[in-house]
Amino acid sequence: MRRLNRKKTLNLVKELDAFPKVPESYVETSTSGGTVSLIAFTAMALLTIMEFMVYRDTWMKYEYEVDKDFTSKLRMNIDITVAMKCQYVGADVLDLAETMVTSADGLVYEPVIFDLTPQQREWQRMLQLIQSRLQEEHSLQDVIFKSAFKSASTALPPREDNSLLPPDACRIHGHLYVNKVAGNFHITVGKAIPHPRGHAHLAALVSHDSYNFSHRIDHLSFGELIPGIINPLDGTEKIASDHNQMFQYFITVVPTKLHTYKISAETHQFSVTERERVINHAAGSHGVSGIFMKYDISSLMVTVTEEHMPFWQFLIRLCGIIGGIFSTTGVLHGIGRFIVEIICCRFKLGSHKPVLLPDGHINNHVPLITDNSMH
């Protein structure tokens, strides 16, 4: 009894088969069908390889939210070389809260030679080329995010020669911790001194002829220092045309959380606009000679996350490719075969022309070939 019920169940399932099998004796193969099948299999292989490459690739997802962290300190990473001796210049930060952060809190003054060696000049030229490409193709920033911690360091390589020339410049490098409010980092003549009524630099003892604020920004960033990340001002070089010249950089800092398959870090991106002018009080151009970087903190925070195609989605897309090619090639092959058959039938009908009989009637019948006619 159980065997009979099982047999009925199998027969019922068999009747529900949505994929009926055609006996091989009913299947007719053809050269055109084999050609179309070969093309279909080739297209499947190519599209499968391309889809696998897309599956292996990743992309960056950007999300925006309000930055609620306004009490923590912001790290400012600096590496700037000024074409003046270290005893003549001073660097510090003054923010809107009237908080003064002096260079003694984390900056180092190092006497160096301003001119670069050929190797260093090649490094700077390559960095400037990358900066120009980043301005033209913003999608390259995603590549830089993915290659963080994997690419080579973007720091200026050390001098490979032992020059006997005396140092004529000052490299100011290190980091400072500032409040997360708008501020002004500046390098100007004289060391900064605390003043109850404001901010002052001891510039009276420095001759105007020694003023030269030609400078090179090897690195400037905010937040956690991440090797491989190229910032907008890295590799910038400015040559002063006058002793009394002011260079201004207006910076907007955007807090950024970076989450990739390699790293997870909290850093800051920034955009910058530049301006420079000669100080000439007689002509109405007032100000102080030096390098001024005025920064402001954005209230929005960007979260950059590296994402990957799920495996189930890859399988669905792969099934769609295979099924779509099978269906499309089958339809195209059927249409093409139908058209060829129509053309061939017309050609065969046109090859049998009517025969005119002696009595004037037209014989449309094809003559029957018999054994007697063949002898």
Side-chain angles (χ1 to χ4, degrees):
M1 189 68 179
R2 291 182 180 178
R3 184 176 299 177
L4 182 61
N5 292 334
R6 186 181 300 174
K7 189 174 182 180
K8 289 181 178 180
T9 304
L10 292 176
N11 290 333
L12 179 62
V13 174
K14 193 174 182 180
E15 291 178 358
L16 297 176
D17 187 7
F19 307 97
K21 312 302 184 293
V22 180
E24 293 184 0
S25 58
Y26 295 163
V27 178
E28 181 183 356
T29 60
S30 62
T31 305
S32 61
T35 304
V36 172
S37 299
L38 184 61
I39 295 174
F41 290 140
T42 305
M44 286 180 197
L46 292 177
L47 291 179
T48 300
I49 294 173
M50 294 174 63
E51 190 65 26
F52 181 72
M53 294 175 64
V54 173
Y55 168 73
R56 290 187 58 191
D57 195 15
T58 58
W59 60 87
M60 309 306 292
K61 179 182 178 182
Y62 292 81
E63 297 177 325
Y64 304 91
E65 60 180 320
V66 177
D67 184 16
K68 300 178 182 179
D69 181 15
F70 52 86
T71 57
S72 62
K73 295 289 185 177
L74 175 63
R75 172 170 169 156
M76 188 175 184
N77 307 298
I78 302 163
D79 191 350
I80 302 175
T81 302
V82 185
M84 292 181 64
K85 294 185 177 181
C86 291
Q87 62 265 30
Y88 295 156
V89 294
D92 54 31
V93 175
L94 186 65
D95 59 25
L96 288 183
E98 297 184 356
T99 302
M100 178 179 172
V101 181
T102 62
S103 58
D105 294 334
L107 296 183
V108 177
Y109 293 77
E110 179 184 350
V112 294
I113 299 174
F114 187 76
D115 292 334
L116 298 176
T117 63
Q119 179 185 0
Q120 292 175 326
R121 184 64 65 182
E122 183 65 25
W123 169 88
Q124 186 190 42
R125 190 180 299 110
M126 181 184 63
L127 194 57
Q128 291 175 349
L129 178 61
I130 295 175
Q131 293 284 17
S132 62
R133 292 295 300 274
L134 282 173
Q135 295 177 3
E136 297 173 359
E137 303 178 22
H138 299 286
S139 59
L140 291 178
Q141 186 64 47
D142 293 349
V143 179
I144 293 178
F145 281 149
K146 294 178 186 179
S147 62
F149 277 169
K150 292 194 304 180
S151 59
S153 175
T154 57
L156 179 70
R159 300 183 69 92
E160 68 274 10
D161 62 342
N162 296 322
S163 179
L164 300 178
L165 297 175
D168 58 351
C170 184
R171 179 191 175 198
I172 304 173
H173 59 97
H175 62 271
L176 299 172
Y177 288 94
V178 299
N179 297 321
K180 294 185 71 173
V181 297
N184 181 4
F185 170 76
H186 51 272
I187 302 173
T188 187
V189 179
K191 302 297 181 182
I193 56 173
H195 194 275
R197 293 187 178 181
H199 185 63
H201 284 258
L202 288 175
L205 302 178
V206 182
S207 173
H208 280 75
D209 295 335
S210 61
Y211 286 18
N212 183 5
F213 284 100
S214 299
H215 62 280
R216 182 176 58 253
I217 304 176
D218 296 327
H219 180 80
L220 179 69
S221 65
F222 297 85
E224 183 179 348
L225 190 60
I226 303 177
I229 298 296
I230 299 177
N231 298 279
L233 287 176
D234 292 356
T236 301
E237 185 177 75
K238 299 290 184 180
I239 303 300
S241 58
D242 192 272
H243 292 295
N244 294 327
Q245 191 158 350
M246 173 190 287
F247 295 92
Q248 292 177 303
Y249 299 92
F250 301 93
I251 300 173
T252 302
V253 183
V254 181
T256 304
K257 290 183 178 180
L258 181 62
H259 302 287
T260 68
Y261 291 107
K262 298 295 180 182
I263 62 169
S264 181
E266 293 188 5
T267 181
H268 291 72
Q269 301 180 85
F270 66 89
S271 61
V272 59
T273 55
E274 306 173 10
R275 184 188 177 194
E276 58 183 81
R277 59 187 174 92
V278 176
I279 304 299
N280 189 344
H281 299 287
S285 178
H286 304 292
V288 179
S289 303
I291 305 167
F292 297 86
M293 297 182 176
K294 300 180 180 180
Y295 60 89
D296 194 4
I297 312 297
S298 174
S299 58
L300 290 179
M301 181 174 62
V302 181
T303 302
V304 185
T305 308
E306 186 178 7
E307 292 193 342
H308 187 273
M309 181 188 297
F311 183 68
W312 62 266
Q313 187 175 354
F314 167 70
L315 291 180
I316 292 176
R317 290 166 66 101
L318 201 60
C319 293
I321 289 174
I322 296 174
I325 292 178
F326 260 121
S327 301
T328 304
T329 53
V331 171
L332 293 178
H333 178 249
I335 294 174
R337 190 171 182 179
F338 176 73
I339 294 174
V340 170
E341 287 180 354
I342 292 178
I343 295 175
C344 291
C345 287
R346 288 185 177 180
F347 178 75
K348 290 178 180 179
L349 291 175
S351 62
H352 303 294
K353 297 182 180 180
V355 180
L356 183 62
L357 298 176
D359 57 359
H361 292 85
I362 298 175
N363 183 15
N364 292 324
H365 300 285
V366 179
L368 181 61
I369 301 175
T370 61
D371 295 337
N372 296 331
S373 61
M374 295 178 62
H375 293 291

